[in-house]
Amino acid sequence: MAQIARDAFNSERALKGLLMPDNFYVCIGGLVKAAEGIFPVIVDTCEGNREITNDISKPLWDDFTREQEFCDEFFHGSEMRTYVIAKAWKNQYHFLKWDQLDALLDVGGINIERYREVGWWRVACFYYLAKKGFEDRDAFKSKWRAMTSEQCLGIVQSLSGDELLEYQLRG
């Protein structure tokens, strides 16, 4: 029985490895799609109309969770995950104000204020690297590890006011 469990675990891990994106834009695209799919579930859950554990919601939640894990792995943490989810929801429902989205992000377990205070600058640097052609996993990770704090500061200081608001999820 233990061998069957180990084989199932290894098969699931192998499948997850095959699904893991190797490109900046593919990684983000997968999370955008999953975030857009889970948004109605989040809203319905807030309104008490649905539970995440039901048969319809569970596959959407599982996809959303998997894509978040992929994003966290690719980008060394949760800042990009937070940015991508928030931007996907804002783009999908542009009429919502940030305070409304902030409340929904909180229901999804996302601390948007921590992102705005601590992590947003990393997202700006990540996009900078991708725009410079370092979008494949190995090139991206290598270049990110080689960046100095002075280089990151230079990228952030070069942002326009609108870009700052965009990366801080305020505009």
Side-chain angles (χ1 to χ4, degrees):
M1 190 65 161
Q3 182 62 41
I4 293 170
R6 275 193 300 276
D7 290 346
F9 175 76
N10 288 334
S11 295
E12 184 177 324
R13 207 167 82 203
L15 178 60
K16 196 173 187 178
L18 289 172
L19 295 173
M20 190 172 293
D22 282 330
N23 178 280
F24 179 97
Y25 296 106
V26 173
C27 185
I28 289 171
L31 183 52
V32 166
K33 185 175 179 179
E36 290 171 350
I38 201 67
F39 188 82
V41 174
I42 297 285
V43 171
D44 283 355
T45 301
C46 288
E47 294 174 350
N49 298 330
R50 186 187 310 206
E51 291 185 26
I52 289 174
T53 57
N54 74 27
D55 291 340
I56 296 168
S57 302
K58 187 164 180 356
L60 293 171
W61 192 259
D62 290 346
D63 287 346
F64 184 55
T65 301
R66 183 188 68 239
E67 293 299 331
Q68 288 181 78
E69 290 171 3
F70 290 163
C71 194
D72 286 353
E73 190 279 329
F74 194 104
F75 296 104
H76 315 284
S78 64
E79 297 89 0
M80 183 60 95
R81 169 178 31 110
T82 298
Y83 179 81
V84 170
I85 294 167
K87 287 298 290 183
W89 290 356
K90 182 67 170 163
N91 289 340
Q92 189 176 20
Y93 299 97
H94 55 86
F95 55 87
L96 291 175
K97 305 246 184 280
W98 273 113
D99 61 333
Q100 295 169 307
L101 279 172
D102 291 357
L104 293 169
L105 289 163
D106 188 52
V107 169
I110 297 170
N111 184 341
I112 194 68
E113 286 309 315
R114 176 161 170 71
Y115 168 85
R116 288 182 179 132
E117 292 170 11
V118 179
W120 69 269
W121 65 271
R122 287 172 41 114
V123 173
C125 293
F126 294 158
Y127 271 96
Y128 174 86
L129 290 177
K131 290 174 186 173
K132 292 293 184 184
F134 300 101
E135 59 195 63
D136 290 330
R137 175 186 299 277
D138 292 339
F140 177 87
K141 288 187 177 226
S142 176
K143 189 66 174 172
W144 174 249
R145 281 190 294 270
M147 286 184 73
T148 65
S149 55
E150 291 80 20
Q151 289 171 316
C152 292
L153 182 59
I155 291 166
V156 170
Q157 288 175 338
S158 73
L159 297 173
S160 70
D162 288 343
E163 289 171 322
L164 283 170
L165 291 174
E166 170 109 3
Y167 286 119
Q168 293 174 347
L169 299 173
R170 296 185 190 277

